[in-house]
């Protein structure tokens, strides 16, 4: 199935991916059987096998689906923003909101479980992740060259960003003191303060500069 | 065995923990058998069972051992530093170097695998992790109150730090462009820039301020 087809239908398949991601995260990939997936889906095992050939294929499909969602909801939208600072701000905020709110978080968690995949499937997903890493490094390098950012190492700054964003699912609890948007704003602000040269911290159009993020 | 006893003897047990952590990380906890551990240790299964009662106990012991190492090599040393900025800088750098260099990284990775533990063992390890989180929040709050740090949310800044540090094992390759100490310095510098108020970025005694970390 093409990527567009996967995304345009809110398919039975997408539902399977989201439910299966939850079961894998709760029970662990190794311990989960196709019977567990069927039970969670309220389907027969034969019904599940109609959509999915094996547990390994299912994991690969969930990860591809997670990347589809990320690329469609975040990366494809921000890549064309001409101003590099706005591009980075929108990327960081969009990625945080995706992790925190927009999808069952298990689909995001499972993106980091690709070690259980066979080598070919793993290489494919790593190439997609690398595209994102290169995009971040290039954007940060552009900010450094234009002296909007401090003279940081673009790779260090890129992995600092990914660490901050990807770690949030380990600890964020919905319903706490900060909601998802407040946390995304506070993290974005925190990160950009580390990156940018003094005086370069322009705000997005119309936004008041908050020095105290969501306290 | 007491914590001090565990640490003072470079015991057969510590070796088992480090080798087992490697096997768990390579093969996955669920898929690993006690036979695999014995094979990697070049011991008989009976020999391994002489030290360890079950696979679950082994995981709990590795995690406790990883926390022992972290507390002894990082937290116990920095907790008494009176100046909060020096305290935070030493914590961040020490934690990064521990993750990057000082121990088989698998012992560190496995600290985040506590979901496979029974509830009581998990609660115990979570309390130890919480001690570290509270220490970071308190130090950052002190920096904010003394206006050395910007008015950030101490919890957001704490989890930003943990994300940056804990994510490094996902991508850092020894032998690359930056060595472990350079990366630890660059990350520490990057983080403190995000946190501190302009003008407050004092360097540790005698250290020249590097605006370009390890490029």
């Amino acid at each position: 199935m093409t990527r567009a087809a996967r995304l345009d239908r809110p398919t039975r398949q997408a539902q399977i991916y989201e439910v299966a991601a939850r079961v894998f995260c709760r029970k662990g990939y190794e311990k989960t059987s196709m019977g567990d997936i069927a039970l969670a889906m309220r389907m027969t095992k034969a019904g599940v096998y109609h959509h999915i050939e094996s547990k390994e294929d299912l994991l690969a499909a969930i990860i591809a689906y997670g990347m589809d969602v990320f690329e469609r909801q975040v990366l494809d939208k921000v890549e064309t923003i001409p101003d590099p600072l706005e591009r980075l701000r929108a990327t960081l905020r969009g990625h945080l909101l995706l992790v925190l709110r927009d999808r069952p978080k298990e689909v995001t968690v499972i993106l980091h479980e690709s070690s259980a995949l066979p080598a070919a499937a793993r290489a494919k997903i790593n190439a997609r992740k690398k595209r994102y890493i290169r995009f971040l490094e290039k954007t940060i390098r552009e900010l450094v060259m234009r002296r909007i950012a401090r003279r940081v190492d673009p790779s260090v700054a890129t992995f600092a960003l990914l660490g901050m964003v990807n770690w949030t699912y380990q600890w964020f609890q919905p319903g706490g003191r900060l909601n998802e948007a407040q946390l995304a704003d506070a993290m974005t602000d925190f990160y950009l303060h580390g990156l940018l040269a003094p005086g370069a911290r322009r705000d997005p159009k119309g936004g008041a500069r908050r020095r105290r993020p969501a306290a």
Side-chain angles (χ1 to χ4, degrees), chain A:
Chain A
M1 187 168 28
T2 66
R3 188 174 153 218
R6 259 203 303 270
L7 291 166
D8 289 343
R9 297 189 279 158
T11 52
R12 191 86 182 127
Q13 226 146 0
Q15 285 180 302
I16 293 181
Y17 299 152
E18 298 190 0
V19 170
R22 274 198 207 101
V23 179
F24 283 157
C25 286
R26 200 176 55 229
K27 211 178 153 111
Y29 174 73
E30 295 303 337
K31 273 189 179 166
T32 302
S33 68
M34 288 296 262
D36 296 325
I37 305 287
L39 194 70
M41 287 298 300
R42 295 171 193 194
M43 289 168 78
T44 60
K45 249 165 92 169
V48 172
Y49 276 114
H50 175 72
H51 294 272
I52 305 288
E53 275 181 35
S54 69
K55 199 170 81 163
E56 219 168 51
D57 281 348
L58 179 56
L59 180 63
I62 296 170
I63 292 178
Y65 170 71
M67 286 301 295
D68 289 348
V69 170
F70 168 73
E71 289 173 1
R72 190 181 58 154
Q73 291 195 14
V74 184
L75 195 50
D76 294 351
K77 281 184 186 165
V78 297
E79 257 181 340
T80 51
I81 298 176
D83 181 81
L85 180 52
E86 287 323 303
R87 194 189 314 141
L88 186 66
R89 193 193 302 275
T91 307
L92 182 47
R93 195 168 186 281
H95 191 171
L96 278 162
L97 286 175
L98 181 70
V99 171
L100 294 170
R101 185 177 67 187
D102 290 348
R103 277 282 141 183
K105 79 168 191 170
E106 291 84 357
V107 172
T108 311
V109 172
I110 242 168
L111 287 179
H112 309 296
E113 304 295 328
S114 54
S115 61
L117 291 180
R122 203 166 59 236
K124 218 162 145 185
I125 201 73
N126 283 344
R128 292 177 77 175
K129 287 181 181 175
K130 210 155 242 175
R131 176 187 159 210
Y132 182 43
I133 291 170
R134 295 286 165 264
F135 162 78
L136 289 170
E137 286 174 335
K138 198 173 146 257
T139 299
I140 292 168
R141 189 171 297 113
E142 192 179 341
L143 288 166
V144 172
M145 303 230 324
R146 292 172 62 171
R147 306 202 176 177
I148 296 166
R150 298 183 302 116
R151 293 177 66 190
V152 297
D153 184 301
S155 303
V156 171
T158 291
F159 286 111
L161 183 153
L162 291 172
M164 273 178 44
V165 173
N166 288 326
W167 203 251
T168 52
Y169 71 71
Q170 293 261 5
W171 57 271
F172 180 71
Q173 302 277 359
R177 189 168 48 85
L178 298 183
N179 69 26
E180 291 85 346
Q182 287 170 325
L183 176 62
D185 285 341
M187 278 270 174
T188 302
D189 179 85
F190 188 90
Y191 181 83
L192 291 180
H193 257 278
L195 181 67
L196 299 183
R201 289 187 274 271
R202 286 174 288 142
D203 257 322
K205 285 169 214 130
R209 174 84 189 292
R210 252 170 303 176
R211 286 200 66 92
R212 173 158 210 176

